[in-house]
């Protein structure tokens, strides 16, 4: 009950700040209506915000790919490219010539997804924050199961990520998590610290690797992809977009934020080209996925506004959204 009250209060304050920000121009007149119109104008998606896919589907996509038998003898592999804190409406600014999202969606699939445990406009059940977001994708469950409701909350090893279970279950020979944010596993207060200890104690081929910044992460990923027998399941996150959002505004009218997104999308394209240049690429069956953990509004995220709640998923293989009833606030559905 206390948590619910806290969330309601935070929601009220963030909505108040957004309205006052719109009146006084401090958030570039960013309103839910403008956000919705921008997202609706995108032609990248096969669904709508009402039928958004839970971000936990990332887990199912990867697991199904790795676990399904190979029809042609090619080796199953996975590459997940994470753009931390990228609002869906930022995709209206894509530079198609330098975009991994454009490359992947041209011969692939794109859906709108949601974070926070439940689709908007229901009140979110977990913070639209980094740790719960990525953790929900990596465990295929929401915080009521994995327990990570906010940042700086170590996850119990009762709910291991797919990075570890895929290796333990023998559907991947190895996995790697490349990041630079200290909040993931740098000390015992952080999300994956217990799991990192677990895999190290067991000597499992699961790597948790922290670089100093995105450049370091990208170098780690490129170095991995350069190996003849590279890691089977690579999951990496670029975090600069989120940093710029916090320092200058999660806002599609904010040039710094948009530029940070363009940089991430261009670096991701370089990674896709590196992947395709592998000598053994034709003998490998890669699932490639681009996604984000949450959006943002003004200088933050973690709350309940529509700008924070939606995410996206682009994949070279079909994403089959679960059939969910859209949430109706007033009145009953027509059938
Ligand atoms: Zn984040």
């Amino acid at each position: 009950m206390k948590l619910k009250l806290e969330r309601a209060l935070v929601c009220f304050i963030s909505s108040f700040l957004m309205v006052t920000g719109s009146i006084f121009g401090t958030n570039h007149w960013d309103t839910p209506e403008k956000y919705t119109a921008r997202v609706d104008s995108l032609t990248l998606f096969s669904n709508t915000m009402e039928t958004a896919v839970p971000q936990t589907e990332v887990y199912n996509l990867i697991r199904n790919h790795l676990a399904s038998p190979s029809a042609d003898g090619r080796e199953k592999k996975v590459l997940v490219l994470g753009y931390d804190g990228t609002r869906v409406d930022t995709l209206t600014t894509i530079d198609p010539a330098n975009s991994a999202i454009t490359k992947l969606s041209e011969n692939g699939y794109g859906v709108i997804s949601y974070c926070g445990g439940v689709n908007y406009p229901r009140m979110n059940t977990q913070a639209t924050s980094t740790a719960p977001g990525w953790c929900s994708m990596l465990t295929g469950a929401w915080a009521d199961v994995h327990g990570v409701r906010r940042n700086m909350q170590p996850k119990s090893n009762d709910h291991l990520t797919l990075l570890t279970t895929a290796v333990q279950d023998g559907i991947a020979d190895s996995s790697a998590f490349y990041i630079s944010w200290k909040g993931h596993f740098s000390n015992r207060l952080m999300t994956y610290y217990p799991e990192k200890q677990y895999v190290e104690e067991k000597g499992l081929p699961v790597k948790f690797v922290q670089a100093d910044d995105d450049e370091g992460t990208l170098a780690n990923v490129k170095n991995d992809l350069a190996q003849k027998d590279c890691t089977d399941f690579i999951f990496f996150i670029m975090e600069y977009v989120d940093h710029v959002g916090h320092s200058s505004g999660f806002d599609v009218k904010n040039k710094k934020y948009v530029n940070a997104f363009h940089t991430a999308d261009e670096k991701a394209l370089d990674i896709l080209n590196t992947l395709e240049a592998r000598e053994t690429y034709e003998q490998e069956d890669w699932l490639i996925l681009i996604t984000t953990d949450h959006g943002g509004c003004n200088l933050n995220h973690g709350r309940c506004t529509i700008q924070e709640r939606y995410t996206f998923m682009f994949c070279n293989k079909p994403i089959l959204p679960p059939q969910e009833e859209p949430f109706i606030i007033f009145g009953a559905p027509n059938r």
Side-chain angles (χ1 to χ4, degrees):
M1 177 54 96
K2 189 163 169 265
L3 257 178
K4 240 183 177 173
L5 275 173
E6 261 176 34
R7 271 206 307 275
L9 188 64
V10 168
C11 189
F12 174 77
I13 293 169
S14 58
S15 301
F16 177 77
L17 286 174
M18 197 165 71
V19 170
T20 51
S22 295
I23 292 168
F24 296 108
T26 49
N27 58 355
H28 303 90
W29 301 92
D30 181 27
T31 64
E33 290 72 26
K34 287 182 180 176
Y35 173 83
T36 304
R38 280 193 290 265
V39 175
D40 283 347
S41 76
L42 288 162
T43 54
L44 296 161
F45 302 117
S46 61
N47 65 342
T48 63
M49 288 194 276
E50 284 76 26
T51 56
V53 174
Q55 65 185 171
T56 48
E57 276 301 298
V58 168
Y59 174 96
N60 296 328
L61 263 175
I62 300 170
R63 184 154 191 107
N64 290 342
H65 173 71
L66 288 173
S68 61
S70 175
D72 49 15
R74 288 184 300 161
E75 190 184 357
K76 297 283 179 117
K77 298 257 193 191
V78 173
L79 176 68
V80 179
L81 306 92
Y83 299 14
D84 202 295
T86 305
R87 283 170 52 139
V88 179
D89 61 348
T90 320
L91 307 191
T92 54
T93 72
I94 276 181
D95 171 15
N98 298 298
S99 165
I101 288 177
T102 301
K103 182 180 167 78
L104 201 52
S105 60
E106 272 173 354
N107 296 306
Y109 305 83
V111 294
I112 301 173
S113 40
Y114 65 82
C115 60
V118 63
N119 197 2
Y120 187 89
R122 283 188 176 111
M123 175 70 82
N124 46 312
T125 56
Q126 65 188 46
T128 53
S129 300
T130 300
W134 295 117
C135 190
S136 291
M137 292 182 241
L138 282 164
T139 60
W142 298 112
D144 57 337
V145 175
H146 60 62
V148 179
R149 292 186 185 277
R150 59 186 78 88
N151 295 343
M152 293 186 68
Q153 205 176 4
K155 178 179 63 58
S156 156
N157 285 337
D158 291 344
H159 303 284
L160 295 167
T161 68
L162 188 55
L163 293 158
T164 299
T165 56
V167 169
Q168 281 187 329
D169 297 348
I171 56 174
D173 290 338
S174 54
S175 65
F177 188 41
Y178 295 113
I179 53 85
S180 59
W181 185 49
K182 290 187 172 71
H184 288 300
F185 48 77
S186 65
N187 68 51
R188 62 184 176 79
L189 293 174
M190 305 312 180
T191 320
Y192 306 103
Y193 186 82
E195 185 161 334
K196 184 169 181 284
Q197 299 286 102
Y198 174 92
V199 299
E200 283 169 6
E201 275 165 25
K202 298 220 166 217
L204 295 172
V206 178
K207 288 187 285 188
F208 286 85
V209 184
Q210 185 185 320
D212 290 336
D213 51 22
D214 284 353
E215 289 302 317
T217 295
L218 290 159
N220 286 334
V221 174
K222 284 185 101 165
N223 182 47
D224 194 332
L225 290 173
Q227 307 303 314
K228 195 164 186 297
D229 187 21
C230 72
T231 302
D232 277 357
F233 172 16
I234 298 172
F235 198 118
F236 79 95
I237 304 170
M238 292 178 284
E239 284 143 8
Y240 184 62
V241 182
D242 188 70
H243 296 328
V244 173
H246 284 297
S247 62
S248 64
F250 292 85
D251 192 323
V252 75
K253 294 280 169 56
N254 174 9
K255 280 202 169 66
K256 287 182 186 167
Y257 182 67
V258 170
N259 287 343
F261 161 65
H262 287 170
T263 301
D265 207 20
E266 192 172 355
K267 301 278 184 192
L269 181 63
D270 183 40
I271 295 290
L272 294 187
N273 291 333
T274 305
L275 174 67
E276 285 180 11
R278 283 177 58 73
E279 241 176 62
T280 48
Y281 184 69
E282 297 299 326
Q283 288 104 58
E284 297 162 345
D285 181 6
W286 284 90
L287 176 109
I288 306 166
L289 180 78
I290 297 176
T291 189
T292 183
D293 52 342
H294 52 75
C297 182
N298 292 327
L299 292 174
N300 227 322
H301 56 80
R303 305 153 303 182
C304 64
T305 67
I306 193 168
Q307 293 96 326
E308 295 161 88
R309 302 285 294 278
Y310 286 104
T311 58
F312 49 78
M313 290 161 58
F314 294 97
C315 190
N316 63 332
K317 295 183 184 277
I319 305 166
L320 299 172
Q323 297 302 309
E324 280 194 9
E325 283 287 324
F327 180 60
I328 315 281
I329 307 178
F330 300 110
N334 289 329
R335 58 192 162 76

